Amino acid sequence: MPENFTTDSITTNEPDIFDIMAGASPQTQSYLDVLNEEQLEAVTHSGSPLLILAGAGSGKTRVITTKIAYLIAEKNIDPYQILAVTFTKKAANEMHERAIALDARAQYSQIRTFHSFGAWFLRLNAQAAGIDPNFTVYDDDDCVTLIQKAMPKLTKQQVSHFAHEISLAKDYCYLPDSPKLDEIDSDPEFREVYEAYTKRLRETGNVDFGDLIMLPYLVLHNDEYVRMRLFNRFRVIMVDEYQDSNVAQFLLLQELCGAKYGMAASPENPDGIYVCVVGDDDESIYKFRGAEIQNILTFKDKFPGTKIIRLEKNYRSTEQILSIADDVVRNNEGRLGKTLSAERGQGKQPVLAFLPNQDEEANFCADLIKLAHEHGCPYSDWAILYRTNAQSLTFESTFLHRKIPYQVVGSLKFYEREEIKDILAYLSLLANPRDEIAFRRIVNKPTRGIGATTQEKLIAAARENIVTAADYNLLEACKKSAASLSKKAKEGIEKFTEAFDEFKDKLGIGAARSVAEEVVEPVETSAAAMKAIAGTAESPTATAVAPEKEKLPGEISVKLSELIELISEKSGIKNYHETQDEVSGTQRVANLQELANSAVLYECSREGLLEFLDHIELDRTLENPDEETDDNRVTLITLHNTKGLEFNRVIMTGMELGIFPRQDKTGSDLEEERRLCYVGITRAKNELYMTNCSVRRMYGRTEFMAVSPFLLEIDSEKLKTIGHAPASFRRSSFRGGDYGERGLSHPDTESDPIKKKYSKGTKVFHDDYGYGIISFSEENEEGEYCITVSFENSGKKKFIPKYQSHSLMVIKD
DNA sequence: CCCGTCGTTATTTTT
DNA sequence: TAACGACGGG
């Protein structure tokens, strides 16, 4: 372990600008005064579409929230007419809170995630969208189950493959009959599955995540009445993290601001609907989930007259950190281009450590963290970043062993736990007796002697003679069919329906009446909902009556948490998990209690239930309650999950070709990996470390790893290197140039020449092992070309040349 | 219905 | 390597 590290934070003497601003009193200082020139321009701009290109750490949330406050306070915009959408609940909440802090009237603005906006919209326009107003949102697992049931002959693999493609199709707003579906998969079976799935999903009255965007778009696109009402409802529309929007979201945005109908603000129509998007094309990292970077790159073409404002002053990272971030990202071609300037001074030189393997990598991190800790640096200053979740394992075991407290972000999600999903299924079926997925999940859980055959029988019975939506009622079908079942099944199903009657009573919707009847009522609402939507320039008091209003504390007579506790108890789920196994059982019961706790603010009524289900279905971020609340921990996190976060000290691990980036990445995919690297680097406020392993155990094999090309893009003068740098890196230090010169893989030129050149008897030189001769060549099971080399001084080593192209070369006679 | 064993398969995942 | 799912015996 090198001793010449200084681990003192440089922040102690350099409070950042937000600390200063946080202390500013709004009475004595206008919130506009703290903005820099560009921020101010962005806040006060009006009269045309606006694209704010906000670099990492440039204060974009501040700009949006200030703009909301400014519009309300200075421009007389009714807060009710402002819609701001983000991608995560966390971001939405933060934005809402910060806007309210600037101007209390912002509480009446719609500040939501895209999906929760979609859900809100669909509840008001359920009929137009062809769904049940009491729909619940199916998550990806539920969709897979539904496809499997709709198309039983498909294998599990096919099902998840098609599920993925369907969700992708919805990200593009492609319906099952769209010719463009071929762009995703031209297999006719795909259309068939998509169609069957859609039909089945509509029968349940529910929606999936994709529908929350696609259906509102379709409604607005097809229904002029709804559209015109909406144009009166929102006069200002803002989108945060715009680089992560997908095509469907773009289409929805276009409809919301009436771009196609000349309703959007433009130089010709300055009083039209004002649209402002904020994002950073360099931070677009979700292409694999449908995000379309072209949305931001071509925004100005799609919205004529767009004003572009760049926020390039970075208040987060030190200059040295930003400088290497720029070294990396400037290699991308598809970008609008920005140069960040550091507002916090030089800072410490970033460190690049070359380590032999991942165990040493973890130890290196542990050494760093411990050393810093001895100097008074809290564990929570640190974040370990990695490309894949699997990489967390070594860190976890090392940290466990070395007693370093850590938290893994984003691995096991609270709402994906079995016991939680069980209770949610009870709630869902209660809300919507057509919810087949929920029904299947719980009808025999805990076991009531209702096997697969009985389940099919019951569902078939429920699906018979369906005339209106209300006829499809799984619980009613259970009651009616009970008599025709075997004794054991009959008893089971009676227990099941009796429990549900009790739950309905608790919910105050009465056992005698079917939920569906009540549920259908609000369909009328088209008109009522329209009225609510149409409400425009009313006072804030009037807006409080809007259907999306928050429940007020004290208004709740019976808490929804009581229902959850009742269900846990009476359904037998609690007992089931208690007795499953003692160790994790206790935890699971605690999780159930946690779920109940999270429902205390909801009323025990049908409305409260729906609100609650909406809330959790759209917000899966609830913290894992199991770990004690000691928050002084190192954060272990994937690069993707770091977006929007910042840490005083960041270690980017696994900086190797094949891990980061994966080696099959080329072209625009490689550019996305590079952006991911940029995101990682720019998370660091004060100190940045990067680690590289020369050997890594993967998939049961030990592979020699090449240096990540991203490391080679950084001017090596800017990094302090530690450990034995492999030749591939040393060479790059004085050669520079493109990949070709550095001998790094370029997919078109790589594999073939190597196959030809490397045959038995060939003399080679390896950067780490010296001179040798190829003693054996073969193909391994994967069909990869392998060679065994006898080195003069280092014995025999086995290589796969295609992974060694940078460090292994042929010696010409 | 539960448990063991064998075989398969390995990105990233806002909602 | 390891973790998870499928399958078969008790």
Side-chain angles (χ1 to χ4, degrees):
Chain A
M1 182 69 191
E3 284 156 26
N4 51 347
F5 286 168
T6 60
T7 47
D8 323 65
S9 164
I10 62 156
T11 31
T12 30
N13 300 323
E14 294 180 48
D16 73 31
I17 188 159
F18 295 131
D19 294 338
I20 299 167
M21 291 192 299
S25 148
Q27 272 81 34
T28 57
Q29 191 183 20
S30 159
Y31 51 76
L32 296 180
D33 292 349
V34 297
L35 302 179
N36 67 36
E37 197 183 316
E38 297 76 27
Q39 290 174 331
L40 184 66
E41 189 186 5
V43 165
T44 55
H45 168 272
S46 69
S48 79
L50 175 63
L51 166 60
I52 303 173
L53 285 176
S58 64
K60 76 180 159 70
T61 306
R62 170 153 303 263
V63 168
I64 301 183
T65 52
T66 306
K67 192 169 178 89
I68 292 169
Y70 174 80
L71 287 168
I72 296 169
E74 311 292 333
K75 292 289 166 181
N76 268 329
I77 302 280
D78 187 334
Y80 186 64
Q81 297 187 306
I82 297 174
L83 169 65
V85 289
T86 64
F87 286 86
T88 67
K89 191 84 179 184
K90 196 176 153 204
N93 289 340
E94 189 194 340
M95 190 185 292
H96 208 168
E97 278 166 27
R98 285 176 64 172
I100 291 170
L102 292 170
D103 192 309
R105 287 167 286 181
Q107 68 183 286
Y108 301 111
S109 298
Q110 288 272 352
I111 301 179
R112 295 174 165 264
T113 65
F114 248 120
H115 290 85
S116 105
F117 170 77
W120 171 83
F121 179 91
L122 288 177
R123 291 222 189 276
L124 297 176
N125 300 285
Q127 199 174 43
I131 54 172
D132 191 311
N134 293 320
F135 65 83
T136 51
V137 183
Y138 279 157
D139 70 14
D140 295 350
D141 282 347
D142 298 331
C143 297
V144 165
T145 316
L146 200 64
I147 295 169
Q148 185 76 76
K149 291 301 162 192
M151 307 241 73
K153 59 177 189 286
L154 297 180
T155 67
K156 272 248 161 73
Q157 231 175 20
Q158 287 173 307
V159 167
S160 50
H161 174 73
F162 284 133
H164 178 246
E165 290 186 339
I166 289 172
S167 103
L168 213 55
K170 293 196 176 188
D171 286 346
Y172 286 86
C173 278
Y174 295 162
L175 293 170
D177 58 1
S178 164
K180 288 187 169 173
L181 221 50
D182 286 354
E183 290 168 18
I184 289 165
D185 186 346
S186 55
D187 182 351
E189 194 174 21
F190 170 47
R191 286 158 185 275
E192 195 188 319
V193 174
Y194 187 9
E195 206 164 332
Y197 165 76
T198 306
K199 187 162 171 272
R200 201 69 177 252
L201 184 61
R202 290 294 157 260
E203 279 173 18
T204 69
N206 286 340
V207 298
D208 59 24
F209 278 122
D211 286 337
L212 291 176
I213 309 299
M214 183 173 82
L215 296 181
Y217 161 71
L218 290 173
V219 168
L220 288 171
H221 183 74
N222 297 325
D223 191 325
E224 197 189 346
Y225 180 61
V226 178
R227 192 165 62 226
M228 294 316 290
R229 288 300 188 186
L230 208 76
F231 289 160
N232 290 323
R233 174 66 167 81
F234 296 114
R235 309 293 301 172
V236 172
I237 296 165
M238 295 194 231
V239 184
D240 190 17
E241 304 281 12
Y242 187 67
Q243 77 283 349
D244 287 331
S245 60
N246 60 35
V247 169
Q249 286 157 341
F250 167 78
L251 292 170
L252 178 57
L253 175 65
Q254 254 190 339
E255 290 296 341
L256 288 174
C257 60
K260 289 188 294 193
Y261 315 97
M263 302 294 293
S266 66
E268 293 78 44
N269 177 21
D271 293 324
I273 298 170
Y274 182 69
V275 57
C276 164
V277 302
V278 189
D280 180 358
D281 51 320
D282 291 333
E283 293 181 74
S284 169
I285 55 173
Y286 283 107
K287 184 186 177 184
F288 67 96
R289 284 191 95 239
E292 180 52 74
I293 192 174
Q294 292 304 323
N295 282 356
I296 192 165
L297 296 181
T298 64
F299 183 83
K300 63 177 192 311
D301 308 323
K302 299 291 174 60
F303 290 86
T306 291
K307 164 88 178 168
I308 298 180
I309 295 175
R310 288 180 161 76
L311 304 181
E312 300 181 294
K313 291 200 170 77
N314 177 295
Y315 300 99
R316 179 188 293 149
S317 309
T318 63
E319 176 142 17
Q320 299 204 58
I321 290 169
L322 280 187
S323 173
I324 70 166
D326 187 63
D327 278 2
V328 173
V329 80
R330 69 169 172 219
N331 292 288
N332 274 356
E333 283 174 13
R335 66 189 287 252
L336 294 166
K338 266 188 278 59
T339 308
L340 294 186
S341 72
E343 300 295 309
R344 293 192 47 226
Q346 274 292 306
K348 258 187 67 172
Q349 187 178 26
V351 172
L352 170 59
F354 291 102
L355 301 154
N357 55 49
Q358 69 248 61
D359 298 316
E360 290 308 313
E361 181 182 52
N363 275 317
F364 172 82
C365 296
D367 288 342
L368 269 181
I369 293 164
K370 285 235 141 163
L371 187 63
H373 192 247
E374 284 163 20
H375 287 78
C377 168
Y379 292 121
S380 53
D381 259 23
W382 293 94
I384 309 272
L385 275 46
Y386 39 77
R387 177 64 232 267
T388 65
N389 283 309
Q391 287 167 259
S392 76
L393 216 95
T394 321
F395 294 106
E396 287 190 65
S397 47
T398 300
F399 287 5
L400 227 40
H401 186 235
R402 299 191 50 177
K403 308 235 182 314
I404 295 173
Y406 65 87
Q407 76 178 134
V408 184
V409 174
S411 48
L412 27 89
K413 302 232 164 68
F414 184 73
Y415 287 114
E416 278 157 25
R417 288 162 194 240
E418 187 189 355
E419 66 277 15
I420 300 301
K421 287 204 76 168
D422 290 344
I423 297 299
L424 293 180
Y426 275 91
L427 293 174
S428 299
L429 190 57
L430 208 46
N432 177 0
R434 290 193 272 160
D435 194 330
E436 184 188 324
I437 299 294
F439 177 76
R440 284 179 189 276
R441 184 176 184 100
I442 53 173
V443 67
N444 198 31
K445 191 168 193 174
T447 47
R448 303 184 177 90
I450 303 163
T453 328
T454 313
Q455 286 178 32
E456 295 305 329
K457 230 188 259 175
L458 290 168
I459 288 168
R463 290 162 65 90
E464 253 172 43
N465 303 324
I466 296 176
V467 181
T468 70
D471 296 335
Y472 187 15
N473 186 320
L474 291 159
L475 292 171
E476 290 302 314
C478 285
K479 284 186 184 170
K480 283 179 195 149
S481 313
S484 65
L485 299 173
S486 69
K487 184 164 177 279
K488 197 173 149 201
K490 180 167 175 276
E491 281 169 9
I493 213 72
E494 274 166 0
K495 257 196 244 165
F496 182 68
T497 51
E498 277 162 23
F500 260 90
D501 284 340
E502 193 174 340
F503 302 153
K504 284 186 197 169
D505 275 340
K506 180 80 190 176
L507 200 58
I509 57 181
R513 268 176 94 190
S514 97
V515 183
E517 285 167 33
E518 303 219 8
V519 149
V520 173
E521 250 166 68
V523 170
E524 94 329 267
T525 48
S526 226
M530 280 310 119
K531 228 191 238 164
I533 283 187
T536 49
E538 287 115 318
S539 67
T541 331
T543 63
V545 189
E548 74 272 25
K549 65 164 178 171
E550 292 289 312
K551 63 243 145 262
L552 302 167
E555 210 180 288
I556 299 167
S557 49
V558 185
K559 295 169 185 158
L560 190 64
S561 50
E562 293 176 26
L563 174 68
I564 291 177
E565 282 159 6
L566 180 75
I567 293 176
S568 304
E569 206 69 53
K570 282 285 153 129
S571 69
I573 289 290
K574 187 171 158 191
N575 185 52
Y576 170 82
H577 287 292
E578 258 167 355
T579 52
Q580 276 292 297
D581 74 303
E582 280 179 57
V583 194
S584 66
T586 338
Q587 184 57 57
R588 291 183 164 198
V589 172
N591 290 342
L592 291 176
Q593 189 53 54
E594 188 65 23
L595 181 71
N597 293 347
S598 68
V600 288
L601 289 177
Y602 294 83
E603 194 176 52
C604 192
S605 67
R606 204 184 58 212
E607 292 72 29
L609 175 60
L610 288 170
E611 261 179 65
F612 179 69
L613 287 174
D614 252 14
H615 170 77
I616 54 180
E617 209 46 69
L618 299 174
D619 176 19
R620 310 309 206 73
T621 58
L622 192 79
E623 296 293 323
N624 294 325
D626 42 337
E627 309 283 327
E628 61 267 42
T629 48
D630 177 10
D631 56 358
N632 185 13
R633 303 161 165 275
V634 175
T635 297
L636 305 187
I637 190 169
T638 62
L639 284 154
H640 280 89
N641 271 324
T642 62
K643 210 175 62 164
L645 304 178
E646 59 179 27
F647 303 92
N648 280 329
R649 299 152 193 248
V650 165
I651 311 178
M652 292 175 72
T653 66
M655 298 300 292
E656 297 132 35
L657 178 63
I659 293 275
F660 186 33
R662 288 179 72 83
Q663 59 239 68
D664 51 356
K665 298 276 165 137
T666 56
S668 66
D669 284 345
L670 184 64
E671 295 212 340
E672 176 137 324
E673 294 278 306
R674 189 178 281 114
R675 290 192 289 270
L676 192 55
C677 185
Y678 175 79
V679 167
I681 295 170
T682 55
R683 298 310 97 189
K685 293 169 78 174
N686 304 321
E687 294 182 19
L688 176 70
Y689 302 82
M690 299 202 249
T691 60
N692 163 279
C693 299
S694 50
V695 155
R696 187 173 286 274
R697 283 205 320 264
M698 292 170 78
Y699 311 143
R701 296 184 158 275
T702 302
E703 308 265 24
F704 285 87
M705 304 302 288
V707 168
S708 169
F710 304 142
L711 291 179
L712 305 182
E713 290 167 354
I714 300 169
D715 177 357
S716 59
E717 301 281 303
K718 295 177 185 169
L719 293 169
K720 171 169 160 177
T721 62
I722 288 174
H724 174 62
S728 55
F729 185 76
R730 291 197 298 271
R731 268 209 306 274
S732 75
S733 310
F734 50 84
R735 266 197 211 162
D738 63 22
Y739 288 177
E741 285 176 61
R742 283 168 172 158
L744 259 173
S745 61
H746 205 296
D748 301 334
T749 57
E750 188 192 38
S751 50
D752 249 352
I754 284 168
K755 269 206 172 180
K756 280 174 201 150
K757 271 191 255 169
Y758 284 66
S759 56
K760 192 180 169 182
T762 307
K763 285 178 196 165
V764 297
F765 177 83
H766 191 282
D767 289 323
D768 293 324
Y769 303 108
Y771 290 96
I773 189 161
I774 298 179
S775 58
F776 193 65
S777 65
E778 73 197 301
E779 272 193 20
N780 69 10
E781 311 87 87
E782 284 104 53
E784 289 168 320
Y785 190 67
C786 292
I787 55 172
T788 308
V789 180
S790 300
F791 287 103
E792 284 178 6
N793 303 312
S794 319
K796 282 191 177 184
K797 305 275 178 203
K798 207 169 170 179
F799 298 106
I800 299 174
K802 79 173 180 193
Y803 300 135
Q804 296 287 323
S805 57
H806 51 282
S807 51
L808 186 67
M809 52 189 145
V810 175
I811 307 295
K812 288 171 195 149
D813 291 83

